[in-house]
Amino acid sequence: MTMPHFDVVVIGAGPAGLAAARAAALSGARIALVDDNPRAGGQVWRQGPERDAAKPLHDALKELDTQADLTFFFSTRVIAAAPAKTLLLESSDHGGVYLSYGRLILCTGARERLLPCRGWTLPGVTGAGGLQALIKGGVPVSGQRIVIAGSGPLLIAALATARDAGARVLAVVEQAPRSAVARFGVSLAATPSKLWQAARLTRGFFGVPYWTDSVVREVSGNGRVEAVTIARGTREMTLACDRVALGYGLVPNLTLAQALGCAVGEGGIVVDDLQRTSVGDVLAAGECTGIGGAELATSEGAIAGYVASEESVPAPLVQERARWRRFAARVERGFALGEAARAWPAPDTLLCRCEDVPFGEVAAHDSWRDAKLHTRCGMGACQGRICGTAAQTLLGWDMATPRPPLAPTRIETLLAAGAHAQHLDCPL
Amino acid sequence: MRHERGLDRNGRVSVSVTIDGKTLYLPAYATVAAALAVANGVLGTRTSVSGERRTALCGMGVCQECRVSIDGRMHVLACQTICRDGMTIETDTERAR
């Protein structure tokens, strides 16, 4: 197994990672940019068939194209962190590779918080961002009746994508109280570009009900989604539909950071003003340091890129980051999860979808570790990324530090890595 | 209507894949998840450990519900794989579990 060395390795090719790569490239650094998707853009700038790249993505890729020393590793996941600033990666097409870094920038982004309710495992139930991602990848939804539910501005973005693709969105179901959402709406005046974005996203809003103080109680159907039951305050109503897009906000992707030993806090990886983590030569930027949107991710990524390549950080970037951090705080306040969203599902509702473990069985234990050992929840393919997040929200449990392999890995990768690791003297 | 190989009805580049033996045409850069939805509609593409039908949930490579076999390799995530011309996709529930 070869081991190329890079001055700067960036994990994640979304807004933060691309900004970091652009900034670091200015100094002539040798850069690697790693992403588990087949193309750059992350979630918000996800590319797909018959769709032009979003302008910021197009500009970023065009600029990076002119950089001589940038290597993309697409469809590639980090499997393990090894001593002496080395990572084991696995590429879908090319198998395992080690690489070493001078500086590492984590831009691992966020995933959705998916909470269980009766029927949530039926085909046709997706995340809200999940539906958006699937549509962008070419999943047809034209003429389909869709209910979008959960929490956050992401529901509106999903609404826009679904409507543009010809879906009939029946309602948007937001758990936050009307007053909180209204206050957030008013506060958009502080970020005119976001206000403009909201206006663009909601111009098709007219006619689609937006219900606050409302949650999905149950999804029903025979082998697929056929109806959804919604609790609006004290009332309940059932709508026939084809899809339910259900997501309760975003949570940072911390697996690699934790495996490296980086300190993490409530909101994400802990970083200082220079985007440095608690581990030497490891920086982090974007949603993984705290949910805040693409603009914040871009400014944080750029700062990390300058710092990693030992260039000074332009002052306007620091101001921009501060501004978008204030916006992020307003989003968090506006859409904090209330009691109805945190209500426990019926005990026979599955919590762990990989091992089919009911919520009641998991909740009978005192900690994630005990629940895992006794029920196998979190031991399946997703390794707790879906069910563990739900357990954190519903049961208040802390998650354990992840251990390698950090993603499902082919045995041939581990065997080759093992042989190589003997030379590195590293325990894998 | 048969599509001219390589071009869709709008004259744009397309790719042909097979899903469980059935041939489909997708626009270039469509994901395998898209191909599965075109083939199956809103129906399951794999079977869970207790026998439930499942399909893509998170759309971004986290939940692992969209696993299928591609060109003989098992446990490939459909939502993070772009269709390639001639790709063979199998949702055989025993093998794609």
Side-chain angles (χ1 to χ4, degrees):
Chain A
M1 204 181 261
T2 57
M3 186 156 86
H5 176 80
F6 296 90
D7 299 319
V8 178
V9 172
V10 181
I11 309 295
L18 290 167
R22 283 173 88 172
L26 295 173
S27 66
R30 164 168 288 188
I31 302 169
L33 189 42
V34 180
D35 198 287
D36 59 345
N37 287 297
R39 301 174 81 187
Q43 308 314 326
V44 64
W45 296 338
R46 179 178 290 272
Q47 303 184 73
E50 300 169 24
R51 143 191 306 269
D52 292 327
K55 184 159 195 315
L57 173 64
H58 177 262
D59 292 345
L61 291 176
K62 193 157 157 228
E63 190 181 299
L64 289 173
D65 213 25
T66 68
Q67 304 305 320
D69 218 344
L70 172 65
T71 309
F72 283 106
F73 290 83
F74 286 125
S75 300
T76 300
R77 290 178 186 268
V78 180
I79 303 307
K85 301 183 352 179
T86 300
L87 296 176
L88 173 64
L89 313 178
E90 181 181 271
S91 141
S92 291
D93 293 329
H94 307 298
V97 62
Y98 271 112
L99 51 74
S100 65
Y101 56 86
R103 299 255 159 74
L104 179 65
I105 308 180
L106 304 177
C107 301
T108 50
R111 64 188 182 282
E112 272 187 292
R113 177 185 283 110
L114 302 173
L115 298 179
C117 67
R118 176 155 287 155
W120 76 303
T121 56
L122 284 169
V125 177
T126 61
L131 178 67
Q132 197 180 32
L134 291 166
I135 291 173
K136 285 180 178 179
V139 168
V141 294
S142 185
Q144 291 178 10
R145 299 158 301 171
I146 305 183
V147 171
I148 298 175
S151 196
L154 183 49
L155 301 189
I156 309 300
L159 163 67
T161 301
R163 278 174 64 86
D164 280 348
R168 269 180 58 205
V169 179
L170 303 180
V172 176
V173 179
E174 167 62 62
Q175 60 85 33
R178 171 188 267 268
S179 54
V181 178
R183 221 175 301 126
F184 172 73
V186 166
S187 80
L188 284 178
T191 46
S193 63
K194 281 310 213 188
L195 190 55
W196 173 235
Q197 185 183 33
R200 271 188 300 115
L201 285 176
T202 57
R203 76 171 178 257
F205 218 10
F206 188 71
V208 177
Y210 181 76
W211 297 327
T212 51
D213 300 275
S214 302
V215 292
V216 164
R217 273 279 157 261
E218 175 175 346
V219 183
S220 50
N222 193 4
R224 56 152 302 160
V225 170
E226 287 171 347
V228 62
T229 301
I230 297 159
R232 300 184 56 194
T234 50
R235 288 173 298 157
E236 266 196 11
M237 60 193 302
T238 300
L239 298 176
C241 62
D242 303 301
R243 286 181 179 275
V244 178
L246 185 56
Y248 289 88
L250 300 173
V251 295
N253 290 326
L254 303 176
T255 307
L256 178 54
Q258 288 176 304
L260 287 162
C262 299
V264 303
E266 280 275 322
I269 306 170
V270 175
V271 290
D272 66 10
D273 277 344
L274 298 179
Q275 303 296 143
R276 294 177 304 192
T277 70
S278 61
V279 173
D281 293 324
V282 178
L283 299 90
E287 305 281 74
C288 64
T289 66
I291 306 303
E295 297 86 354
L296 177 58
T298 301
S299 51
E300 289 180 344
I303 291 171
Y306 284 117
V307 173
S309 54
E310 292 174 21
E311 298 291 322
S312 57
V313 180
L317 258 187
V318 177
Q319 288 158 18
E320 211 183 291
R321 178 180 60 183
R323 187 162 178 246
W324 291 113
R325 275 192 176 151
R326 290 192 292 268
F327 168 77
R330 292 193 292 271
V331 172
E332 201 186 331
R333 277 198 299 271
F335 298 94
L337 293 185
E339 264 183 43
R342 293 172 183 274
W344 286 11
D348 60 342
T349 307
L350 293 185
L351 173 67
C352 170
R353 299 171 62 115
C354 298
E355 297 291 322
D356 288 14
V357 185
F359 176 79
E361 278 184 37
V362 175
H365 296 278
D366 290 328
S367 68
W368 178 246
R369 185 174 178 273
D370 277 354
K372 206 172 168 185
L373 287 172
H374 287 97
T375 70
R376 290 195 57 82
C377 72
M379 286 192 179
C382 92
Q383 290 287 289
R385 286 178 177 88
I386 303 295
C387 60
T389 306
Q392 262 179 319
T393 301
L394 300 178
L395 299 165
W397 288 345
D398 291 325
M399 296 294 113
T401 304
R403 291 184 295 183
L406 303 178
T409 310
R410 299 201 280 275
I411 290 179
E412 67 190 358
T413 299
L414 295 175
L415 287 175
H420 184 95
Q422 279 164 16
H423 299 290
L424 294 183
D425 191 32
C426 105
L428 184 68
Chain B
M1 178 181 10
R2 285 195 62 84
H3 298 276
E4 181 184 0
R5 185 163 175 77
L7 294 175
D8 67 11
R9 55 166 61 91
N10 295 316
R12 279 190 289 247
V13 174
S14 72
V15 295
S16 109
V17 303
T18 63
I19 297 183
D20 297 330
K22 183 170 108 179
T23 301
L24 279 159
Y25 294 90
L26 282 303
Y29 295 113
T31 59
V32 172
L36 291 169
V38 169
N40 292 333
V42 185
L43 287 178
T45 53
R46 75 168 201 101
T47 303
S48 80
V49 295
S50 72
E52 287 189 350
R53 294 295 285 164
R54 301 279 179 81
T55 193
L57 171 76
C58 79
M60 50 186 72
V62 177
C63 74
Q64 315 280 312
E65 290 275 33
C66 66
R67 284 173 278 164
V68 287
S69 290
I70 296 184
D71 295 336
R73 176 172 286 160
M74 296 173 61
H75 306 307
V76 182
L77 300 185
C79 70
Q80 288 189 314
T81 307
I82 291 178
C83 290
R84 270 198 290 240
D85 207 46
M87 197 177 247
T88 325
I89 299 154
E90 285 171 322
T91 70
D92 181 285
T93 58
E94 283 310 301
R95 293 181 61 219
R97 200 174 165 115

